[in-house]
Amino acid sequence: MSVNKWLLPLGIGLLSLLLSQGAISDELTGKINNDSCMKCHKRNGAMQGYHGHDSLNMSCSSCHGEKGNHPRKPNDLMVFSSDNDIPVDAKNAVCLKCHTPTKLAETEWTHNVHAQKVGCASCHKLHPKADPMLGLSAKERSNECRNCHTVQR
């Protein structure tokens, strides 16, 4: 068999595989982005990345809580920004429903140090396609630490 005879089928197979990968990743984020919350919150973008995969069977309420009186204020929705008075341990408890402290400690020692004082969302961003912290080198993570910690000389 000549090289030309098997290159065409191989090329077609690879092309179809690559095209199907795009369709699969779009399907993975289908359910959570059709959640009833997204009717109003589309301006904040779609839930992407690992937490947006349908295989996790998550919805907006998995982390933010049930709608209740929302959009009226006050409401009981969990907001992970630093400009509210929700205690850090309450915010982190949401993340710890799925992420065990032991596994977090094995991944990065700073999780133990900050667990009671700093909210997970202070460093991690879950709605974008990728959490910016996951792609940082050790030196870049150290530079991120300096945003909160200053060295006094």
PDB file of all heavy atoms in Angstrom, residues 95-105:
ATOM      1  N   CYS A  95     -17.056  25.400  48.981  1.00  0.00           N
ATOM      2  CA  CYS A  95     -16.023  24.733  48.186  1.00  0.00           C
ATOM      3  C   CYS A  95     -15.650  23.384  48.802  1.00  0.00           C
ATOM      4  O   CYS A  95     -15.385  22.415  48.088  1.00  0.00           O
ATOM      5  CB  CYS A  95     -14.780  25.611  48.077  1.00  0.00           C
ATOM      6  SG  CYS A  95     -15.104  27.238  47.364  1.00  0.00           S
ATOM      7  N   LEU A  96     -15.646  23.334  50.133  1.00  0.00           N
ATOM      8  CA  LEU A  96     -15.229  22.126  50.837  1.00  0.00           C
ATOM      9  C   LEU A  96     -16.275  21.015  50.786  1.00  0.00           C
ATOM     10  O   LEU A  96     -16.000  19.893  51.213  1.00  0.00           O
ATOM     11  CB  LEU A  96     -14.862  22.450  52.279  1.00  0.00           C
ATOM     12  CG  LEU A  96     -13.621  23.336  52.429  1.00  0.00           C
ATOM     13  CD1 LEU A  96     -13.418  23.733  53.888  1.00  0.00           C
ATOM     14  CD2 LEU A  96     -12.386  22.667  51.867  1.00  0.00           C
ATOM     15  N   LYS A  97     -17.456  21.302  50.237  1.00  0.00           N
ATOM     16  CA  LYS A  97     -18.435  20.235  50.023  1.00  0.00           C
ATOM     17  C   LYS A  97     -17.883  19.216  49.029  1.00  0.00           C
ATOM     18  O   LYS A  97     -18.188  18.043  49.112  1.00  0.00           O
ATOM     19  CB  LYS A  97     -19.756  20.802  49.494  1.00  0.00           C
ATOM     20  CG  LYS A  97     -20.567  21.568  50.509  1.00  0.00           C
ATOM     21  CD  LYS A  97     -21.960  21.908  49.999  1.00  0.00           C
ATOM     22  CE  LYS A  97     -21.934  22.828  48.801  1.00  0.00           C
ATOM     23  NZ  LYS A  97     -23.277  23.275  48.373  1.00  0.00           N
ATOM     24  N   CYS A  98     -17.082  19.684  48.091  1.00  0.00           N
ATOM     25  CA  CYS A  98     -16.509  18.796  47.066  1.00  0.00           C
ATOM     26  C   CYS A  98     -14.998  18.646  47.187  1.00  0.00           C
ATOM     27  O   CYS A  98     -14.452  17.581  46.927  1.00  0.00           O
ATOM     28  CB  CYS A  98     -16.835  19.321  45.668  1.00  0.00           C
ATOM     29  SG  CYS A  98     -18.591  19.395  45.324  1.00  0.00           S
ATOM     30  N   HIS A  99     -14.313  19.711  47.577  1.00  0.00           N
ATOM     31  CA  HIS A  99     -12.852  19.705  47.661  1.00  0.00           C
ATOM     32  C   HIS A  99     -12.436  19.421  49.098  1.00  0.00           C
ATOM     33  O   HIS A  99     -12.635  20.251  49.975  1.00  0.00           O
ATOM     34  CB  HIS A  99     -12.282  21.054  47.204  1.00  0.00           C
ATOM     35  CG  HIS A  99     -12.626  21.384  45.790  1.00  0.00           C
ATOM     36  ND1 HIS A  99     -11.921  20.896  44.719  1.00  0.00           N
ATOM     37  CD2 HIS A  99     -13.625  22.153  45.275  1.00  0.00           C
ATOM     38  CE1 HIS A  99     -12.458  21.361  43.594  1.00  0.00           C
ATOM     39  NE2 HIS A  99     -13.485  22.106  43.899  1.00  0.00           N
ATOM     40  N   THR A 100     -11.846  18.250  49.341  1.00  0.00           N
ATOM     41  CA  THR A 100     -11.484  17.886  50.706  1.00  0.00           C
ATOM     42  C   THR A 100     -10.206  18.612  51.129  1.00  0.00           C
ATOM     43  O   THR A 100      -9.284  18.788  50.318  1.00  0.00           O
ATOM     44  CB  THR A 100     -11.270  16.369  50.847  1.00  0.00           C
ATOM     45  OG1 THR A 100     -10.175  15.980  50.026  1.00  0.00           O
ATOM     46  CG2 THR A 100     -12.519  15.596  50.462  1.00  0.00           C
ATOM     47  N   PRO A 101     -10.139  19.030  52.390  1.00  0.00           N
ATOM     48  CA  PRO A 101      -8.935  19.705  52.881  1.00  0.00           C
ATOM     49  C   PRO A 101      -7.665  18.890  52.684  1.00  0.00           C
ATOM     50  O   PRO A 101      -6.606  19.437  52.380  1.00  0.00           O
ATOM     51  CB  PRO A 101      -9.231  19.925  54.367  1.00  0.00           C
ATOM     52  CG  PRO A 101     -10.714  19.955  54.457  1.00  0.00           C
ATOM     53  CD  PRO A 101     -11.199  18.993  53.404  1.00  0.00           C
ATOM     54  N   THR A 102      -7.750  17.575  52.816  1.00  0.00           N
ATOM     55  CA  THR A 102      -6.567  16.718  52.650  1.00  0.00           C
ATOM     56  C   THR A 102      -6.026  16.814  51.228  1.00  0.00           C
ATOM     57  O   THR A 102      -4.829  17.008  51.020  1.00  0.00           O
ATOM     58  CB  THR A 102      -6.923  15.248  52.971  1.00  0.00           C
ATOM     59  OG1 THR A 102      -7.468  15.190  54.283  1.00  0.00           O
ATOM     60  CG2 THR A 102      -5.709  14.363  52.874  1.00  0.00           C
ATOM     61  N   LYS A 103      -6.911  16.705  50.239  1.00  0.00           N
ATOM     62  CA  LYS A 103      -6.457  16.787  48.842  1.00  0.00           C
ATOM     63  C   LYS A 103      -5.938  18.183  48.521  1.00  0.00           C
ATOM     64  O   LYS A 103      -4.973  18.330  47.785  1.00  0.00           O
ATOM     65  CB  LYS A 103      -7.585  16.402  47.896  1.00  0.00           C
ATOM     66  CG  LYS A 103      -7.898  14.937  47.970  1.00  0.00           C
ATOM     67  CD  LYS A 103      -8.390  14.439  46.644  1.00  0.00           C
ATOM     68  CE  LYS A 103      -8.743  12.992  46.799  1.00  0.00           C
ATOM     69  NZ  LYS A 103      -8.037  12.116  45.956  1.00  0.00           N
ATOM     70  N   LEU A 104      -6.583  19.208  49.060  1.00  0.00           N
ATOM     71  CA  LEU A 104      -6.108  20.575  48.836  1.00  0.00           C
ATOM     72  C   LEU A 104      -4.709  20.762  49.410  1.00  0.00           C
ATOM     73  O   LEU A 104      -3.854  21.374  48.787  1.00  0.00           O
ATOM     74  CB  LEU A 104      -7.072  21.591  49.451  1.00  0.00           C
ATOM     75  CG  LEU A 104      -8.431  21.717  48.777  1.00  0.00           C
ATOM     76  CD1 LEU A 104      -9.343  22.610  49.612  1.00  0.00           C
ATOM     77  CD2 LEU A 104      -8.287  22.253  47.369  1.00  0.00           C
ATOM     78  N   ALA A 105      -4.481  20.219  50.602  1.00  0.00           N
ATOM     79  CA  ALA A 105      -3.165  20.340  51.241  1.00  0.00           C
ATOM     80  C   ALA A 105      -2.095  19.617  50.433  1.00  0.00           C
ATOM     81  O   ALA A 105      -0.966  20.091  50.325  1.00  0.00           O
ATOM     82  CB  ALA A 105      -3.220  19.791  52.658  1.00  0.00           C
TER      83      ALA A 105
END
